[in-house]
Amino acid sequence: MAEVTKVEKKASAKASKKVADPMAASVDKATQQMIRRAQDLGIETCFDRNITIKPCNIGNQGTCCKNCGMGPCRLPLPKDYDEATDDRKGLCGATPNTIAARNFVRMIAGGAAAHSDHGRAVAEVFLSAARKETDAYQIKDTRKLLDVAPLLGVATTVEKDGEVLDRDLDEIAVEVGEKAFNEWGKAEGELEYLTRAPKPRYEIWKKQGVLPRNIDREIVEIMHRTHMGVDQDYKNLMKQGTRAALADGWGGSMLATDLQDIMFGTPFPRVSEANLGVLKEDHVNIVIHGHEPVLSEMVVAVAQKPEMVEYAKQKGAKGIQLSGICCTANEILERHGVPLCGTFLQQELSIITGAVDAMVVDVQCIFQNLANVAKCFHTKLITTHPIAKMEQDNVLHIEFDEHHAIEDAERIVKLAIDNFENRGTEVMIPPQKSPIVAGFGVESVEYHLGGSFRGTYYTLNDNIINGRIRGIAGVVGCNNARVKHNEGHIAVVKELIKNDVIVLTTGCNAIACAMEGLLTPESASVFCGPGLAEICETVGIPPVLHLGSCVDNSRILLAATEVVKAGGLGNDISDLPVAGSAPEWMSEKAISIGQYVVASGIYTVFGAVFPTAGAPVFQRYLFEEMEKIYGGMCDFEADPIKHAHKMIAHIDKKRKALGIDKARDRVMMDFSDRQALEA
Ligand code: NFS
């Protein structure tokens, strides 16, 4: 590892620079070990930058306006803040509420755009596949195609001579592709999927005037309304924020999930492993990082080809080990069982092992500093997406296109194999990895909790009503380098399952839970309350169900809708004993998710930071007033245990309103209570 020596020299020059304390930076041993190794080698990571770069306190509060050239106008919350006398304003007169609301809805626009543009890319490939313009992609899951078609207004049967006949599948696929693609820019009407929500929910959206018209329009309208001198009413701004967020959750994200399932297969539970220890010293390691499975599906297919494995062996490796970082990891895990290499904050650290022969990235959550880290090793860093390039000259760009997808993937895999021999001797792969079961979805939850005779959500509802399961939590979202890596994720989830709340997880929370061993059926007896443990042991499922990537949060919306439909727990999502959480969020996507979850009727708690603290009136609107409109609202709690208990209190509030709180008391009785009853 000749180049590391160069870096070592640099290290002494930088010796005085402040670095992170690995033990304080992460709860994960593998992460701590790699942070230490990076520091020993003089390679800076985000954990060190967390020490040297402080966030702007005013931007943090959401009250810095830089939407025009007269600013930035900065309106921090005064120490002696008094709501009655608060007269802070920007040069144009914009109040803290207007500024914070503008910034907040712009975050929604960013998040909704990221999810939805991913969805659009999938829809484009889907249409090519349906039209048979590419050999690389096919319609795999025809059952799901037939389920989705009517939801987009596509007929699955045709009448001929008075007879009803099944329609040609290829024809259905093309029409589904066209209809789906239209959702981004159609001139009239509203999004097709909105009616998938329970009827009372749809009626609330209609009454509030927040039914999205098309995905792109809602995002563009946010940019217009937040331009200097347009919308100056925080409630009206949030209306549009909500409309764009719904266009994400019940539009772009849901379409992405459905079309991916049809093309690549609907996930079903499978066994795999998680953490940096999945890298193999004697294999060619290819780490796939980003979000769109269109690329990673091809890399997975190509890396399994016998001729590629043979080529790797010729080059002295025992085989090819694929693994993933961030949400693309969740995508290839849920469909192929490819192991998880790590969360968002472990991306630099995977390269620090010295064992990564190629890291392939597409879009979103990719640190630009990866290029600087890769420079210190033999690792080839490959960007693949036309909208996501890096300026550093050691980065290769191999543009991926569905029309020559297999060839592109072959080029990438070969490059990694050829690079294996350039690996230095000082490889250090941490030993930590955990077994996992992942790849649940609306369909598999139905199958597992419904049993072989009743493949429905009735059994889940029964167990919520009888109190064995206290409620359902969706715990999702990123890592945030400003808080200890994975601490919040794991503490919140453990506290929930300890209190009999079953957890549905996606994104980096899912990876954190995986690393901690919470995605195994065996973890139920160790970490769960008695009711949830009994269910998990009987059915053989983990108490924390991995539902995929962040766009797959749409699966959580649909699972909640199925629970409503199964009956006995109210008429709308907002009636359910359900709560959401993003303990370590950082991305604009998380804000968009939070708002569509809230507007779908779910109480959602954020950890780490919340970007509206400088505008208490606007914040109160999000935290309190929203509940009166949508039955769901945001909240903030940095302490993970208190965070979980806010969710549990909400779940209990809903149980009480449903009149099922008594059933829960029965479950909580201990042995002596039972004896007293029997006596
Ligand atoms: Ni979600 Fe995925 Fe992770 Fe956060 Fe980034 S990977 S889409 S945004 S950091 S969970």
Side-chain angles (χ1 to χ4, degrees):
M1 203 154 53
E3 311 228 17
V4 172
T5 323
K6 247 193 272 165
V7 175
E8 276 168 350
K9 276 186 205 153
K10 254 201 227 164
S12 57
K14 285 187 181 171
S16 58
K17 209 167 179 185
K18 275 194 182 168
V19 292
D21 168 6
M23 302 294 277
S26 175
V27 294
D28 172 52
K29 289 208 160 54
T31 303
Q32 292 165 359
Q33 187 188 345
M34 285 303 103
I35 296 173
R36 209 170 291 117
R37 171 162 157 99
Q39 290 169 351
D40 289 346
L41 297 173
I43 303 168
E44 185 194 79
T45 66
C46 63
F47 298 97
D48 301 324
R49 290 189 293 279
N50 174 44
I51 305 294
T52 52
I53 301 171
K54 289 291 158 213
C56 163
N57 186 38
I58 306 164
N60 219 4
Q61 296 179 20
T63 43
C64 170
C65 184
K66 53 181 189 60
N67 293 11
C68 85
M70 299 187 291
C73 295
R74 307 188 305 160
L75 311 184
L77 195 69
K79 280 212 175 65
D80 56 350
Y81 172 76
D82 173 4
E83 194 174 311
T85 57
D86 182 24
D87 64 351
R88 290 173 294 158
K89 45 179 104 61
L91 192 144
C92 70
T95 64
N97 294 331
T98 301
I99 293 171
R102 277 179 185 157
N103 290 333
F104 195 76
V105 300
R106 276 200 174 195
M107 291 183 87
I108 293 177
H115 283 147
S116 298
D117 217 28
H118 162 171
R120 185 202 320 268
V122 174
E124 273 175 337
V125 175
F126 184 96
L127 205 46
S128 297
R131 289 178 176 154
K132 306 210 185 301
E133 293 165 359
T134 162
D135 297 332
Y137 302 94
Q138 286 93 29
I139 304 301
K140 217 184 226 175
D141 190 340
T142 50
R143 185 178 153 188
K144 185 129 190 182
L145 174 71
L146 293 174
D147 288 346
V148 164
L151 302 169
L152 288 166
V154 176
T156 55
T157 54
V158 60
E159 238 190 270
K160 209 174 169 192
D161 305 328
E163 237 188 302
V164 179
L165 302 172
D166 285 342
R167 232 181 128 195
D168 177 61
L169 282 175
D170 289 343
E171 230 178 82
I172 297 173
V174 171
E175 209 180 316
V176 162
E178 287 168 352
K179 275 289 197 120
F181 202 55
N182 202 29
E183 293 295 273
W184 274 266
K186 64 186 176 190
E188 288 174 340
E190 65 204 32
L191 292 187
E192 301 285 347
Y193 274 179
L194 299 171
T195 50
R196 293 178 86 168
K199 189 131 201 306
R201 183 61 21 198
Y202 178 87
E203 291 303 326
I204 290 172
W205 295 337
K206 192 170 173 187
K207 189 173 154 227
Q208 292 301 325
V210 295
L211 292 171
R213 295 154 292 186
N214 70 51
I215 298 163
D216 287 350
R217 179 168 182 177
E218 306 313 348
I219 295 163
V220 168
E221 192 169 307
I222 285 184
M223 298 313 286
H224 178 189
R225 281 163 78 155
T226 56
H227 180 276
M228 195 272 147
V230 187
D231 206 345
Q232 295 159 40
D233 171 358
Y234 63 92
K235 292 182 185 170
N236 207 40
L237 279 160
M238 266 318 288
K239 212 171 186 178
Q240 184 55 22
T242 302
R243 186 145 61 164
L246 289 172
D248 174 357
W250 295 85
S253 283
M254 202 172 274
L255 283 161
T257 297
D258 278 350
L259 300 180
Q260 286 167 185
D261 282 357
I262 297 171
M263 266 197 296
F264 309 135
T266 302
F268 221 74
R270 50 184 89 239
V271 173
S272 190
E273 293 177 321
N275 210 345
L276 293 165
V278 303
L279 296 169
K280 289 185 178 160
E281 187 152 6
D282 51 9
H283 280 56
V284 174
N285 288 301
I286 305 176
V287 176
I288 309 176
H289 173 19
H291 284 78
E292 287 180 11
V294 171
L295 157 84
S296 45
E297 279 286 323
M298 286 304 107
V299 177
V300 173
V302 165
Q304 285 169 355
K305 282 187 175 181
E307 59 267 34
M308 278 297 169
V309 178
E310 192 41 47
Y311 185 55
K313 285 182 180 164
Q314 280 170 25
K315 295 282 177 176
K318 286 210 171 122
I320 303 169
Q321 174 71 349
L322 289 182
S323 60
I325 299 258
C326 282
C327 279
T328 215
N330 290 320
E331 299 275 3
I332 49 179
L333 165 70
E334 65 180 344
R335 297 196 179 86
H336 303 285
V338 172
L340 300 166
C341 187
T343 65
F344 170 69
L345 283 188
Q346 289 168 291
Q347 53 185 292
E348 292 164 302
L349 304 182
S350 65
I351 300 178
I352 300 289
T353 61
V356 177
D357 302 299
M359 180 181 272
V360 192
V361 304
D362 52 50
V363 288
Q364 300 169 26
C365 303
I366 296 152
F367 280 172
Q368 184 163 356
N369 196 56
L370 284 178
N372 301 328
V373 179
K375 210 177 266 178
C376 305
F377 296 90
H378 77 302
T379 307
K380 297 270 186 223
L381 181 60
I382 307 165
T383 54
T384 55
H385 208 292
I387 69 162
K389 295 186 177 182
M390 288 185 185
E391 70 187 33
Q392 289 95 327
D393 54 14
N394 63 320
V395 182
L396 283 164
H397 185 74
I398 301 181
E399 200 150 306
F400 195 76
D401 184 300
E402 74 260 28
H403 298 101
H404 41 78
I406 294 178
E407 293 80 354
D408 296 335
E410 276 172 356
R411 234 182 110 195
I412 290 167
V413 173
K414 267 202 170 144
L415 222 130
I417 296 172
D418 288 336
N419 199 28
F420 177 74
E421 62 194 10
N422 298 327
R423 214 190 263 180
T425 47
E426 290 172 52
V427 167
M428 187 195 280
I429 301 173
Q432 286 81 9
K433 58 179 172 177
S434 297
I436 59 173
V437 179
F440 289 86
V442 180
E443 299 83 354
S444 51
V445 170
E446 184 175 297
Y447 173 78
H448 284 277
L449 288 168
S452 42
F453 297 111
R454 291 195 306 174
T456 71
Y457 275 65
Y458 293 131
T459 321
L460 173 61
N461 284 28
D462 283 351
N463 282 304
I464 294 174
I465 293 165
N466 71 27
R468 278 194 191 90
I469 296 177
R470 191 175 192 157
I472 306 173
V475 189
V476 306
C478 329
N479 283 142
N480 183 322
R482 299 304 187 185
V483 294
K484 193 170 185 174
H485 170 241
N486 283 4
E487 182 180 56
H489 280 316
I490 292 165
V492 167
V493 169
K494 279 189 177 166
E495 193 62 19
L496 289 168
I497 60 176
K498 186 173 126 193
N499 285 280
D500 291 322
V501 176
I502 193 167
V503 172
L504 308 181
T505 177
T506 62
C508 288
N509 179 270
I511 304 176
C513 291
M515 290 162 58
E516 186 66 8
L518 298 175
L519 301 191
T520 60
E522 294 73 32
S523 67
S525 60
V526 183
F527 298 109
C528 292
L532 182 58
E534 192 185 330
I535 302 288
C536 293
E537 280 160 15
T538 310
V539 186
I541 54 166
V544 183
L545 301 178
H546 180 296
L547 263 72
S549 65
C550 280
V551 297
D552 291 334
N553 282 325
S554 59
R555 298 191 203 275
I556 298 182
L557 296 177
L558 293 176
T561 304
E562 289 303 317
V563 173
V564 173
K565 275 200 228 155
L569 291 170
N571 300 316
D572 193 356
I573 297 172
S574 55
D575 296 331
L576 303 176
V578 166
S581 160
E584 300 180 26
W585 78 280
M586 63 83 206
S587 153
E588 290 171 324
K589 290 178 283 180
I591 294 294
S592 179
I593 293 166
Q595 188 56 27
Y596 74 63
V597 168
V598 162
S600 300
I602 300 174
Y603 169 67
T604 304
V605 190
F606 287 80
V609 290
F610 199 81
T612 58
V617 175
F618 174 57
Q619 183 158 289
R620 198 163 60 228
Y621 183 65
L622 298 179
F623 286 10
E624 293 171 24
E625 303 296 308
M626 274 291 155
E627 192 179 26
K628 295 178 197 142
I629 308 170
Y630 296 108
M633 68 288 202
C634 288
D635 205 344
F636 169 72
E637 179 52 65
D639 179 277
I641 302 300
K642 286 186 193 156
H643 183 118
H645 279 281
K646 280 190 161 188
M647 298 167 74
I648 294 166
H650 180 82
I651 284 169
D652 286 348
K653 181 173 102 178
K654 293 293 171 181
R655 293 189 67 89
K656 194 158 189 215
L658 288 165
I660 55 171
D661 49 329
K662 302 289 179 297
R664 170 123 206 104
D665 290 340
R666 202 166 58 232
V667 167
M668 292 303 284
M669 282 193 306
D670 64 13
F671 186 64
S672 57
D673 293 333
R674 278 180 209 285
Q675 275 186 325
L677 266 186
E678 279 159 16

